[in-house]
Amino acid sequence: MKGASHALRKGESEREKRQTGQEGCLTENLALAFLPRRWSHVDSQPLDHPAHLEMLKPAFELRRGFSFENCQRNASLERVLPGLRIPQAHKTGTTIAGLVFRDGVILGADTRATNDSVVIDKSCEKIHFIAPKIYCCGAGVAADAEMTTRMAASNMELHSLSTGREPRVATVTRVLRQTLFRYRGHVGASLIVGGVDLTGPQLYSVHPHGSYSRLPFTALGSGQDAALAVLEDRFQPNMKLEAAQELLVEAITAGILGDLGSGGSVDACVIMGTGAKLLRTLSSPTKPIERPNQYRFAPGTTAVLSQTVKPLTLELLEETVQAMEVE
């Protein structure tokens, strides 16, 4: 009896599986039947073709982690449309740097703002206020860096009012890198955060995709290679303020002279436990050279070898005379 009942239950289960499979196939066929027969622009297959259904499947599934579907889409569009040019990231010109010295942190930046190869502003402020003892240098897209630091400064002010304590440099860095990571690099802002809190002087570099590093000295921007070369060669721990300021000016100057996107003058911000001091136009490495003497030559000093006068034939097309009213 036990064997007969087991065989009966097995047969019922197999019958239910066959019915479920038939119902599943019937439901899928009905869904495809009611799906409108539209044709895609890419190929000659209808949108209810299995290949298109497979392509649309990731849009309905909940997936975790990073998504590179836009990269595959752009590659497909470039293959289908030969004349299509996918937008690329633009290079922006700036040199920003910072270093930690004995009593605090000093930040520096150039003052040139460019649009491609055109100089837009020769006195642009790239050192932004975050908190009374925390400042931030921004490189990249000017609007992105400006608005990102403004939002961070507003959040830190609300944080201070809520907690009754001064914000920490690590807190500011966390807010900035979380904001940048949320947009996956579409906010083009490279930031150097420096300040002094209850743990001492700190310096962080935050990249557009959200990665960050805590370093004793750093530089970012299109002129960072030349600036880092100077900093790596001459930086020493526990430097005095005068030596640190001189080193920072030389690093920014190297970036200005070695990069066409950087220019203008050198701005600096000295942050210590007693407060911060912003120094505008600390140095002007690209100041125009003045000639020591005035060169004045009398007329006729240089001989004229040949002279040709060619009259121009002009035709008067229209002449209008308007009388002026005189009271």
Side-chain angles (χ1 to χ4, degrees):
M1 296 296 292
K2 292 183 178 180
S5 61
H6 177 69
L8 180 61
R9 287 197 301 270
K10 184 177 180 181
E12 291 178 354
S13 62
E14 292 179 352
R15 193 182 310 110
E16 290 176 357
K17 289 181 180 180
R18 288 196 297 269
Q19 291 179 358
T20 304
Q22 292 176 0
E23 291 176 358
C25 296
L26 178 61
T27 304
E28 185 177 358
N29 293 332
L30 287 175
L32 292 177
F34 286 102
L35 191 65
R37 301 282 295 184
R38 294 176 296 175
W39 300 82
S40 67
H41 298 284
V42 179
D43 50 20
S44 58
Q45 299 295 338
L47 289 181
D48 55 356
H49 191 270
H52 287 281
L53 294 178
E54 185 68 22
M55 190 184 344
L56 294 175
K57 186 181 296 183
F60 302 102
E61 294 181 356
L62 182 61
R63 302 175 62 183
R64 301 290 183 181
F66 294 99
S67 176
F68 297 94
E69 295 175 1
N70 289 338
C71 300
Q72 300 174 1
R73 177 203 63 185
N74 294 344
S76 301
L77 289 176
E78 287 181 345
R79 287 195 302 267
V80 175
L81 305 175
L84 179 65
R85 295 184 59 185
I86 302 299
Q88 303 293 331
H90 295 282
K91 179 182 178 182
T92 57
T94 291
T95 301
I96 57 176
L99 60 94
V100 178
F101 63 98
R102 178 186 300 175
D103 301 322
V105 178
I106 181 170
L107 304 175
D110 70 308
T111 60
R112 174 177 290 182
T114 59
N115 182 11
D116 197 9
S117 60
V118 180
V119 178
I120 302 300
D121 191 357
K122 297 181 181 180
S123 183
C124 177
E125 294 186 13
K126 301 181 182 180
I127 304 178
H128 308 281
F129 172 86
I130 301 293
K133 298 180 184 179
I134 303 175
Y135 278 76
C136 177
C137 295
V141 181
D144 291 349
E146 178 73 23
M147 295 310 299
T148 302
T149 52
R150 279 190 183 183
M151 289 188 293
S154 177
N155 292 332
M156 290 302 102
E157 180 67 20
L158 294 176
H159 181 272
S160 299
L161 295 175
S162 177
T163 60
R165 291 178 288 184
E166 296 182 355
R168 297 190 180 186
V169 184
T171 306
V172 177
T173 305
R174 185 179 182 87
V175 170
L176 290 173
R177 61 187 176 88
Q178 286 182 343
T179 302
L180 295 176
F181 179 76
R182 187 181 304 123
Y183 294 96
R184 302 297 193 274
H186 292 284
V187 176
S190 299
L191 307 174
I192 295 179
V193 184
V196 179
D197 54 18
L198 55 90
T199 60
Q202 299 180 47
L203 184 69
Y204 291 88
S205 63
V206 184
H207 298 271
H209 288 79
S211 60
Y212 76 105
S213 301
R214 181 179 178 181
L215 301 166
F217 64 89
T218 184
L220 290 176
S222 56
Q224 66 175 351
D225 296 335
L228 279 175
V230 176
L231 291 174
E232 291 177 353
D233 181 55
R234 295 185 49 193
F235 175 80
Q236 295 179 359
N238 298 323
M239 298 177 66
K240 295 183 179 180
L241 174 59
E242 292 77 11
Q245 182 172 316
E246 181 182 356
L247 176 59
L248 182 73
V249 170
E250 290 193 10
I252 300 296
T253 301
I256 289 175
L257 299 179
D259 176 42
L260 292 177
S262 305
S265 57
V266 179
D267 289 349
C269 181
V270 180
I271 309 171
M272 294 188 294
T274 57
K277 183 178 181 182
L278 187 61
L279 304 175
R280 290 282 290 171
T281 317
L282 186 61
S283 174
S284 298
T286 58
K287 185 178 180 180
I289 301 176
E290 298 181 0
R291 294 181 178 180
N293 299 321
Q294 295 292 334
Y295 299 97
R296 297 179 180 178
F297 299 99
T301 303
T302 303
V304 178
L305 300 180
S306 62
Q307 182 177 358
T308 303
V309 179
K310 184 178 180 180
L312 299 178
T313 303
L314 302 178
E315 180 181 358
L316 182 61
L317 298 178
E318 183 180 358
E319 182 179 3
T320 303
V321 179
Q322 183 178 2
M324 183 175 61
E325 297 181 359
V326 180
E327 295 181 359

